[in-house]
Amino acid sequence: MSASLLDLPNELLHIICQDLDDDGLLHLASTCRRINLLAIPLVFSRCDYELPTSSIPSIHLTSGNIRLLQALSIASFVTSIDVLDFSMIHSPTPEILDAIRALHALVTRLAHLGHVRLLVSDLYAQKTPQNTEKLRPWPHVMAAMLNTAAQRGDCAITIYGGTYAYFSDPRPFRHVVAPVAAPPTKPPQPTSLAQTLAQTLRAVFGRLFRPAAAAGCPPLLPRPPLIQSHANPSPLALPPAARPRLTTLNIHSSLLLHATFYPWTLHTLNSAPLTTLSLDNIDLLHYDWALLLPALTLPALTSLAVLRTAIAVPDLTAFLARHPALRALDLSFHAALGPLVPYAPPHLLPKLISIHGPPDCLLYFLAAGDAVYPDLRVVGIRSHAVSGYDLAQFDQLVACLRLRRVVPRVDLEGRLAARCQLPAGVGGDAGPGEEHDAEF
């Protein structure tokens, strides 16, 4: 008569589990539900982490407790996580692939996942002869996990990043200065009095007997652009999500808009029913944004944040004009690229409820008149700049807010708050429910 491991009582199975290392314990825990319930508590105990219940409000994973991620991926009793923070894993090593695969399994298995935060490290810059082959699947593994999260419908995604090597994963576009034609050479100067006199007579009589110009002016020939741009081909073909249901995406990583991930990101932005989009600390050139923004159409977008990102004022204005459903705009601590005059068109963002930014950006939107933005309830002045220009812009903004028929709630944050104060009569409390609707 044959016997199996499952014929042993739980006490003996528990002793066997205790003698296994972490990898062996995780492999054994994935064999069946009974052993899973015996082995998983040991993994959490070894990580000095209290055994969770079926619903986890928030869990933060670090390099020290990364084993928890693998345990969670097979912990059948955990069915719901509100916030899964994977953004503290900074070691770009081949071992991170196992963690991403475990995260993919967890994203696939959970009945509810509210928000996943992760760090996209530049593994390309970490390649060595020893780990090049091991790191080769990394973009595909990451894209597969993101596709699964994007197709859930209940999961917001925030992607962080650090410094990247552009020589290994370039920006989405290549910009070169067009060659400038050499100026025509001047005719040789006359060397004698007779030559000088002849040249002067030709010039005088040439003007006197020049035929009359035809009616109208000939059309000007188009000048070639000074900057010529070309798309950088993606080194890999990453499969996009078939039917993304993502509604909230926070891109705080430049790598997601570099050549490798750019086609994936562009497809996700244009095909998902996004209502909230945040772009923060993305170091693309403003030439890149001039080509990227016209390729985006987000009809359901209601909240947009653009922070520490070099987007020229005309390009951003044109993008906003194509998204009239926006209700919340956040330009906090944003340094405008280009002149902020003339002011924004009065028909721009007719449903705006909340706007945040430095004084000059706020004036660009609010100085068109008190009838603009009739639903506006919250203004946030957020700036670290305290130059004479910024202080003068703050005074003008305060005068502008005084004239509005509907006085919004006004907040003042950053270093500017240490130098300036809001005078009485500017700002107040938002009405019931207005703050919640206006904030991101």
Side-chain angles (χ1 to χ4, degrees):
M1 180 178 179
S2 61
S4 69
L5 183 66
L6 295 179
D7 292 329
L8 297 176
N10 288 344
E11 291 77 10
L12 291 179
L13 290 175
H14 192 268
I15 294 175
I16 294 173
C17 290
Q18 287 179 323
D19 289 338
L20 295 175
D21 59 16
D22 291 343
D23 287 333
L25 187 60
L26 288 169
H27 282 91
L28 183 61
S30 62
T31 57
C32 70
R33 181 176 177 81
R34 178 187 169 196
I35 298 181
N36 185 284
L37 295 175
L38 290 172
I40 290 300
L42 289 176
V43 179
F44 282 91
S45 177
R46 291 179 182 181
C47 294
D48 295 326
Y49 197 89
E50 184 179 352
L51 185 66
T53 61
S54 61
S55 179
I56 301 177
S58 177
I59 184 168
H60 299 269
L61 302 170
T62 66
S63 300
N65 65 0
I66 197 170
R67 289 289 184 186
L68 287 179
L69 183 59
Q70 295 174 295
L72 285 171
S73 67
I74 58 175
S76 56
F77 62 91
V78 177
T79 59
S80 173
I81 298 179
D82 289 334
V83 178
L84 175 62
D85 194 339
F86 192 64
S87 63
M88 299 303 295
I89 310 298
H90 291 282
S91 55
T93 61
E95 288 73 21
I96 204 72
L97 291 177
D98 294 333
I100 298 174
R101 291 189 179 99
L103 179 60
H104 189 188
L106 183 60
V107 171
T108 304
R109 183 186 64 79
L110 288 175
H112 167 71
L113 177 59
H115 195 162
V116 58
R117 300 171 180 162
L118 65 150
L119 178 72
V120 180
S121 300
D122 185 13
L123 299 192
Y124 298 103
Q126 306 295 327
K127 285 186 176 182
T128 64
Q130 292 75 23
N131 64 19
T132 297
E133 285 303 315
K134 293 181 180 180
L135 291 175
R136 191 180 302 277
W138 171 79
H140 293 277
V141 173
M142 180 65 71
M145 186 275 298
L146 290 174
N147 284 341
T148 301
Q151 293 174 140
R152 289 187 58 98
D154 62 341
C155 180
I157 299 177
T158 298
I159 302 174
Y160 301 95
T163 305
Y164 304 105
Y166 294 111
F167 63 87
S168 59
D169 192 17
R171 294 180 172 96
F173 304 101
R174 182 174 64 258
H175 310 280
V176 295
V177 179
V180 180
T185 58
K186 295 183 178 180
Q189 297 296 322
T191 58
S192 66
L193 180 61
Q195 289 175 332
T196 303
L197 181 60
Q199 183 176 350
T200 302
L201 291 174
R202 282 197 300 268
V204 172
F205 285 101
R207 287 195 295 268
L208 291 175
F209 298 102
R210 182 179 299 165
C217 297
L220 296 176
L221 296 177
R223 298 180 61 184
L226 180 61
I227 301 294
Q228 296 178 352
S229 303
H230 308 277
N232 276 320
S234 174
L236 298 173
L238 300 179
R243 292 182 178 179
R245 300 165 56 198
L246 184 67
T247 60
T248 300
L249 177 61
N250 305 312
I251 302 178
H252 301 171
S253 167
S254 297
L255 189 61
L256 212 63
L257 290 170
H258 287 182
T260 297
F261 276 92
Y262 176 73
W264 181 93
T265 304
L266 192 64
H267 170 84
T268 302
L269 289 172
N270 282 329
S271 57
L274 284 177
T275 60
T276 300
L277 176 63
S278 174
L279 305 171
D280 186 11
N281 200 26
I282 300 177
D283 56 350
L284 296 186
L285 300 172
H286 65 278
Y287 296 112
D288 295 324
W289 290 108
L291 298 175
L292 193 158
L293 290 180
L296 297 179
T297 301
L298 315 173
L301 192 66
T302 58
S303 296
L304 174 66
V306 180
L307 316 173
R308 294 175 292 182
T309 301
I311 301 179
V313 175
D315 297 326
L316 180 59
T317 303
F319 177 81
L320 296 177
R322 293 190 292 111
H323 297 83
L326 276 171
R327 302 170 63 222
L329 177 63
D330 192 349
L331 302 174
S332 298
F333 311 105
H334 179 76
L337 186 62
L340 289 166
V341 291
Y343 299 122
H347 59 274
L348 192 70
L349 305 182
K351 299 182 180 180
L352 193 66
I353 294 178
S354 168
I355 184 169
H356 297 79
D360 53 357
C361 289
L362 294 176
L363 274 173
Y364 178 68
F365 290 93
L366 301 180
D370 60 350
V372 183
Y373 314 119
D375 298 328
L376 185 64
R377 294 295 179 271
V378 179
V379 171
I381 308 173
R382 296 175 177 173
S383 177
H384 288 319
V386 290
S387 67
Y389 165 81
D390 299 289
L391 297 178
Q393 294 293 297
F394 174 80
D395 292 337
Q396 291 189 39
L397 178 61
V398 169
C400 174
L401 293 175
R402 285 182 182 275
L403 297 176
R404 296 192 64 85
R405 296 175 184 173
V406 180
V407 179
R409 193 196 74 192
V410 181
D411 301 323
L412 181 59
E413 298 180 28
R415 296 192 186 99
L416 191 62
R419 294 287 301 274
C420 303
Q421 290 184 353
L422 291 171
V426 174
D429 294 329
E434 291 175 347
E435 177 180 353
H436 174 77
D437 293 337
E439 296 291 343
F440 284 92

